[in-house]
Amino acid sequence: MKDSFKPRTHPLVWVIAIICTILSIAVIITGIVVFVGYMIIRPRVPFISVTSAHLDTIRYDQAGLLEIEMAIDIRAENDNAKAHASFSDTSFVLSFDALQIAKLVDGPFDVSKNSSTVFNYVIPSSQIPLDRTRMEQLDFSLKRNEITFDLKGNSRTRWRVGLLGSVKFWCHLNCELRFHTLNGSYISSRRCSSKSK
Ligand SMILES: *[C@@H]1O[C@H](CO)[C@@H](O)[C@H](O)[C@H]1NC(C)=O
Ligand SMILES: *[C@@H]1O[C@H](CO)[C@@H](O)[C@H](O)[C@H]1NC(C)=O
């Protein structure tokens, strides 16, 4: 009895199989198109980095008042050949031994295709009272002729990637700025950049 009942493929199964095949081909073609598009456009994430800095003044009295003046150049770079990039919510904090010294803030700005913009931040003279631990830390730095500050912050960048539309990305900067205390020159040891490489 069972032999006479030959299983036949239901027409609906055929329809579903054909739809699945078409969908798979569509997915593969989309993948190829996106990949080729990516290779042609080669989107680059815009980034920010410290290009140079200088410690113009560093004075310190026995009462524990630290006075500094500093210049920091931060570059926003857009390596995309076909898209300009816009940056917003730019804000950095400069600190000494976790004590905030200055805040660098910038309004929105644009960087055109394949170019860069440098911002020259000047931290004006200000007197910062130090506690005992930081006074010792500073004494030690002056003796060593080398002082370290921390620079942390973000900037949000947005740029167009071909037909995909605009992409948003946070650039994070978190690095140490080291200076010789005697002449104020910047020691560029490790790269201070939001570019992850
Ligand atoms: C981008 O700029 C560099 C120099 O800054 C230049 O050598 C290069 O040809 C430019 N690329 C495009 C696509 O404009
Ligand atoms: C500053 O001083 C350091 C060592 O004290 C030296 O290596 C450096 O070249 C000096 N920089 C300038 C610009 O004189």
Side-chain angles (χ1 to χ4, degrees), residues 91-102:
S91 154
F92 306 106
V93 167
L94 180 76
S95 54
F96 171 68
D97 203 11
L99 177 70
Q100 182 173 328
I101 289 178

Side-chain angles (χ1 to χ4, degrees), residues 68-108:
I68 61 152
E69 274 179 281
M70 195 190 289
I72 307 175
D73 294 343
I74 295 180
R75 184 170 65 195
E77 188 166 335
N78 174 23
D79 289 340
N80 292 292
K82 291 197 177 75
H84 83 267
S86 57
F87 289 82
S88 61
D89 303 292
T90 306
S91 154
F92 306 106
V93 167
L94 180 76
S95 54
F96 171 68
D97 203 11
L99 177 70
Q100 182 173 328
I101 289 178
K103 203 167 179 188
L104 318 174
V105 179
D106 241 302

Side-chain angles (χ1 to χ4, degrees), residues 24 33 43 45 55 76 102 127 134 137 153 178:
S24 315
V33 167
V45 179
L55 184 61
Q127 294 199 319
R134 294 196 178 93
Q137 178 68 35
R178 296 192 301 136

Side-chain angles (χ1 to χ4, degrees), residues 34-53:
V34 167
F35 179 74
V36 170
Y38 181 89
M39 292 312 282
I40 291 171
I41 300 169
R42 283 189 172 277
R44 309 273 180 92
V45 179
F47 63 97
I48 45 175
S49 52
V50 171
T51 51
S52 71

